[in-house]
Amino acid sequence: MITKLKHTKMDFDYDIIKEFIPIEDKSSFLVFESVRLQGNTILAPYRMLLGSNNMFIPLSDYFSKKREKKINEILNH
């Protein structure tokens, strides 16, 4: 039996994901590579000037930051 998996497309706010980059990597950050959802975690590989790194962000932390950003936008307009 073949089971088709339903893929859910999720558009990420890369400005929010950038907030999770470790301080020591921020100055050499270049670009994200294929950010994707794995269970309840966002896998966000990124390139730096000298190498690359993987970042694992709990989905709940991402949504908390996204909610904060939306509240700030509403309050500042």
Side-chain angles (χ1 to χ4, degrees):
M1 183 169 112
I2 298 175
T3 304
K4 291 185 179 181
L5 297 175
K6 183 178 179 182
H7 294 282
T8 304
K9 182 169 176 14
M10 184 171 177
D11 293 322
F12 297 106
D13 184 330
Y14 287 90
D15 289 333
I16 293 173
I17 293 176
K18 281 182 186 177
E19 293 180 28
F20 290 95
I21 295 174
I23 293 170
E24 61 271 10
D25 291 350
K26 285 189 179 193
S27 62
S28 63
F29 170 80
L30 294 174
V31 67
F32 286 110
E33 302 173 343
S34 64
V35 174
R36 59 193 174 275
L37 189 59
Q38 287 187 336
N40 289 329
T41 304
I42 298 171
L43 173 59
Y46 59 96
R47 281 192 249 161
M48 302 175 294
L49 289 175
L50 299 172
S52 61
N53 206 348
N54 288 321
M55 191 168 44
F56 299 92
I57 305 165
L59 201 53
S60 59
D61 291 354
Y62 171 81
F63 282 129
S64 291
K65 291 256 187 204
K66 191 171 183 174
R67 189 172 29 258
E68 285 175 28
K69 181 180 178 183
K70 188 67 175 174
I71 290 169
N72 287 334
E73 286 173 358
I74 291 169
L75 293 175
N76 292 326
H77 281 101

